[in-house]
Amino acid sequence: MTEQQTTQSGDAERVEDIHHLEQQRRENREKAIGLGFSPYGHREDELLSLNEASGRYDESADEANKASLQARKESKRADPDIDEGDLPALVDDRPIVRVAGRVVLQRDNGNLVWLNLRDHSNDSFQVAVSKRDCELAGFKLAKLLDLGDIVVAEGPMTMTRTGEVTCWASSLSPASKCLVPPPEKHAGLTNTEIRYRQRYIDMWVNPETTRVFMLRSKLMRAVRGYLDGLDFLEVETPVLQTQPGGAAARPFRTHMNALDMELSLRIAPELYLKRLLVGGMPRVYEMSRNFRNEGVDKSHNPEFTSMELYQAFGNYETMREIAEGLVREMASLAGSERGVELSAMEFGDWVIDYESPFAQITYAELFRSSLGFEISDSERARAEAEKRGLKTKSEDGVAFDDILVINELFEEVAERSIDPSKPTFVLDYPAALSPLTRPKAGTENDSVPLAERWDLFIAGMEIGPAYTELNDPDIQESKFREQLAGIDDEESTFRTFDADFVEALKVGMPPAGGLGLGMDRLVMLMTNSRSIRDVLPFPMMRSVES
């Protein structure tokens, strides 16, 4: 076989490998090139969003134009030989717009092609491409367009007989050829595997997905604006850490070749932010990307965004005021975007009230009301846990520490009794569960000492904790070294001894309040998204087998 035959054979095989619908689109692309177009466009200035273009419509200018056209028609009808110069003047002060969008509908009526375009601001904006009024190449292009193509149109704004605001194109050009047919309506649009793995297709066919991501960005900006208004400074701390800390989680491990050292991706920014308080920065926060080598479900992703802040001379009550104000600020923005009341924002089957003061209850009160006995009754707690099938011993038979059994019951029973429609602060957790938290004064000698910590729950999800920070280096060192029977790998990470952080506390950290909020879960709440994957543009997915 000659080299030319081999090449021709290879080309034929490649064509056969291409789906016939894609091949048809490729042929249309070649035809567009034959019209003199670059199928992938070029720089375009002064483009309007489709919503902005729609808003430019001027009814009086449109009516004046239609009236002048009608007058000219009547004159020609009355005198078919009338000179052009003797016709009534054409009045056309209609606004000219220049727009770009993806084709989501095309109807070819012969001498008139109707297009519906979509962009981030508008799901369906109508463009009319007529043989009489559009440049010839643009009219021919309109007949070659496929669903998904991105085009640029320019022309005056008018209203059709059916009452639809329309750009009556004087020119049309391609911006990007789409070679991929849209997914089938009843499979592709709802297939979560496609939606999450090929997010760009999801955004193309499901405009609500794009709206969620845009609202997410606005919410993040609102959080920053709110904290900036309270004189907090946004900072950045290391993502690669020699020793992960600040949370109970299993880290991702990696190796740095340049220095031949083991590192971890951060699980939380807490200990570095506190070092900044030691250094003299009074109010700091970070929107941090964190990484935890743990499970994936509707409210967990191994890579996620949190907001942590620390305020010198604050405490957990200060943090409660900030958190409530911040969440309400986010809800106010989301409510205005979604057109719902702050006091009645839907999330799944629940209607959540962000306008009223958030509820408060102590850990002990919630435990008592849901289980019927005190957190100090460890014997009964162990019996209740065993009755419910909860683990109370390790695999080698060592009994778990009492406080871990109590907390298992709390998470299994008490947390689920919280009204999901009422944002609720659960206050004063057992001190043994909070190794970075200042003990609550007056409870040091109780059977279950408490800590100045709260957790915020909304719609059955934990949104984040806050503490009065522990700043005594001796107590902190003791807490780091403390081990509880039955503690798991994630919790033991929380207690890993960080010598440098203890040294920082010895320099002196002012009393402070600290707060952490799960931003992805808050965005879920504000956008009525039931899965964390719906608010992450690119969630973690299992790799595709080749």
Side-chain angles (χ1 to χ4, degrees):
M1 183 179 292
T2 67
E3 182 178 345
Q4 183 178 4
Q5 289 174 325
T6 302
T7 302
Q8 290 174 343
S9 173
D11 289 343
E13 288 176 2
R14 283 195 294 274
V15 170
E16 289 176 4
D17 287 342
I18 297 174
H19 191 280
H20 71 278
L21 292 178
E22 179 180 335
Q23 183 59 36
Q24 183 181 50
R25 288 167 175 259
R26 290 177 177 274
E27 291 169 2
N28 285 341
R29 182 181 64 180
E30 292 305 310
K31 292 176 183 177
I33 293 173
L35 293 174
F37 289 114
S38 169
Y40 293 101
H42 47 73
R43 171 176 171 169
E44 299 283 354
D45 295 324
E46 300 179 356
L47 287 173
L48 298 176
S49 73
L50 298 182
N51 253 4
E52 289 173 329
S54 184
R56 293 283 178 93
Y57 172 69
D58 185 331
E59 183 178 5
S60 61
D62 191 28
E63 291 300 324
N65 174 255
K66 289 174 180 175
S68 69
L69 288 172
Q70 184 62 29
R72 289 168 69 89
K73 285 181 181 179
E74 291 174 356
S75 294
K76 284 186 176 181
R77 190 179 302 119
D79 183 3
D81 299 324
I82 191 172
D83 290 335
E84 187 73 21
D86 294 330
L87 288 171
L90 177 64
V91 178
D92 194 354
D93 295 322
R94 296 173 297 172
I96 304 294
V97 301
R98 189 172 179 78
V99 298
R102 192 180 289 274
V103 177
V104 293
L105 181 66
Q106 186 222 39
R107 290 171 292 155
D108 188 343
N109 292 346
N111 290 333
L112 182 61
V113 179
W114 298 96
L115 304 176
N116 281 47
L117 305 185
R118 175 180 295 163
D119 73 357
H120 65 279
S121 69
N122 194 307
D123 295 347
S124 186
F125 177 87
Q126 185 163 275
V127 175
V129 188
S130 76
K131 186 175 183 179
R132 182 191 65 190
D133 298 314
C134 186
E135 295 173 352
L136 182 58
F139 175 71
K140 291 182 177 180
L141 173 69
K143 291 178 170 289
L144 297 173
L145 293 177
D146 295 294
L147 296 185
D149 288 356
I150 301 174
V151 297
V152 175
E154 183 174 4
M157 294 299 294
T158 187
M159 182 177 286
T160 64
R161 293 173 185 171
T162 59
E164 187 162 358
V165 173
T166 301
C167 172
W168 202 267
S170 56
S171 68
L172 184 75
S173 60
S176 187
K177 183 65 184 178
C178 177
L179 298 177
V180 180
E184 293 183 20
K185 185 172 182 181
H186 298 294
L189 297 187
T190 57
N191 186 310
T192 55
E193 181 74 11
I194 291 177
R195 290 187 59 228
Y196 298 145
R197 193 177 297 282
Q198 296 180 300
R199 184 64 89 182
Y200 39 88
I201 294 180
D202 179 30
M203 295 172 70
W204 162 16
V205 298
N206 291 316
E208 183 57 32
T209 298
T210 302
R211 283 192 281 271
V212 166
F213 296 150
M214 292 181 70
L215 180 52
R216 177 190 175 105
S217 181
K218 292 178 182 179
L219 289 167
M220 295 296 188
R221 188 166 64 229
V223 170
R224 287 183 165 95
Y226 186 85
L227 295 178
D228 292 346
L230 295 177
D231 293 328
F232 281 86
L233 293 175
E234 185 173 10
V235 298
E236 295 175 313
T237 62
V239 174
L240 289 173
Q241 301 180 355
T242 56
Q243 185 167 335
R250 184 180 293 108
F252 286 94
R253 307 284 185 181
T254 188
H255 181 82
M256 182 178 180
N257 292 333
L259 298 179
D260 191 23
M261 60 191 297
E262 300 302 312
L263 295 171
S264 299
L265 296 180
R266 73 172 165 209
I267 56 177
E270 177 172 347
L271 302 186
Y272 283 94
L273 291 172
K274 288 181 179 179
R275 286 173 169 91
L276 296 178
L277 293 189
V278 173
M281 298 179 73
R283 299 187 182 200
V284 295
Y285 77 94
E286 182 171 13
M287 290 282 199
S288 68
R289 203 72 172 158
N290 303 319
F291 308 85
R292 298 183 182 179
N293 198 355
E294 53 192 21
V296 177
D297 59 30
K298 286 189 175 183
S299 61
H300 291 86
N301 193 69
E303 180 181 0
F304 64 97
T305 301
S306 73
M307 187 286 299
E308 286 203 25
L309 65 82
Y310 294 86
Q311 179 178 337
F313 298 100
N315 66 1
Y316 78 142
E317 290 296 330
T318 315
M319 298 299 102
R320 183 181 56 76
E321 295 165 5
I322 291 174
E324 184 166 341
L326 192 153
V327 172
R328 188 171 290 117
E329 179 82 3
M330 294 178 71
S332 179
L333 170 61
S336 65
E337 292 274 331
R338 292 169 51 190
V340 296
E341 296 293 326
L342 187 61
S343 60
M345 291 186 63
E346 292 182 358
F347 181 70
D349 297 330
W350 300 308
V351 177
I352 301 174
D353 179 7
Y354 292 102
E355 189 171 34
S356 302
F358 291 4
Q360 299 180 50
I361 188 171
T362 68
Y363 183 104
E365 290 170 339
L366 185 60
F367 188 94
R368 185 192 315 116
S369 65
S370 58
L371 285 151
F373 58 94
E374 303 291 338
I375 60 173
S376 57
D377 193 342
S378 57
E379 198 170 306
R380 186 169 176 184
R382 195 170 292 276
E384 182 70 20
E386 290 174 350
K387 184 175 77 172
R388 292 176 178 271
L390 303 177
K391 288 182 66 175
T392 60
K393 296 179 180 179
S394 65
E395 293 182 359
D396 55 6
V398 177
F400 286 176
D401 192 276
D402 289 343
I403 198 61
L404 295 180
V405 176
I406 290 166
N407 198 53
E408 281 288 316
L409 277 173
F410 181 84
E411 292 179 350
E412 182 70 22
V413 182
E415 285 184 7
R416 298 183 182 184
S417 71
I418 299 172
D419 185 345
S421 66
K422 293 181 180 179
T424 301
F425 291 105
V426 178
L427 309 167
D428 302 337
Y429 274 64
L433 299 173
S434 310
L436 297 170
T437 311
R438 176 176 289 196
K440 187 173 179 66
T443 70
E444 296 89 345
N445 297 320
D446 291 356
S447 57
V448 181
L450 303 178
E452 293 190 355
R453 166 189 167 185
W454 55 252
D455 275 20
L456 174 60
F457 292 86
I458 307 176
M461 292 189 294
E462 180 187 352
I463 304 304
Y467 315 117
T468 301
E469 300 300 335
L470 181 57
N471 62 340
D472 182 322
D474 294 336
I475 296 177
Q476 182 63 83
E477 181 170 356
S478 174
K479 289 285 187 180
F480 275 146
R481 296 186 184 281
E482 180 183 14
Q483 292 297 316
L484 301 178
I487 199 169
D488 61 18
D489 290 343
E490 293 181 0
E491 181 67 21
S492 66
T493 301
F494 209 24
R495 298 170 188 273
T496 301
F497 184 65
D498 189 330
D500 182 74
F501 179 66
V502 173
E503 285 299 311
L505 291 185
K506 288 180 181 179
V507 173
M509 186 180 87
L515 164 66
L517 295 175
M519 300 310 297
D520 302 317
R521 293 183 182 181
L522 279 169
V523 174
M524 287 172 61
L525 291 168
M526 301 306 160
T527 59
N528 194 13
S529 302
R530 300 309 305 275
S531 171
I532 195 171
R533 292 185 171 192
D534 291 331
V535 301
L536 297 174
F538 304 103
M540 180 62 64
M541 300 290 293
R542 192 183 302 276
S543 60
V544 179
E545 302 253 345
S546 56

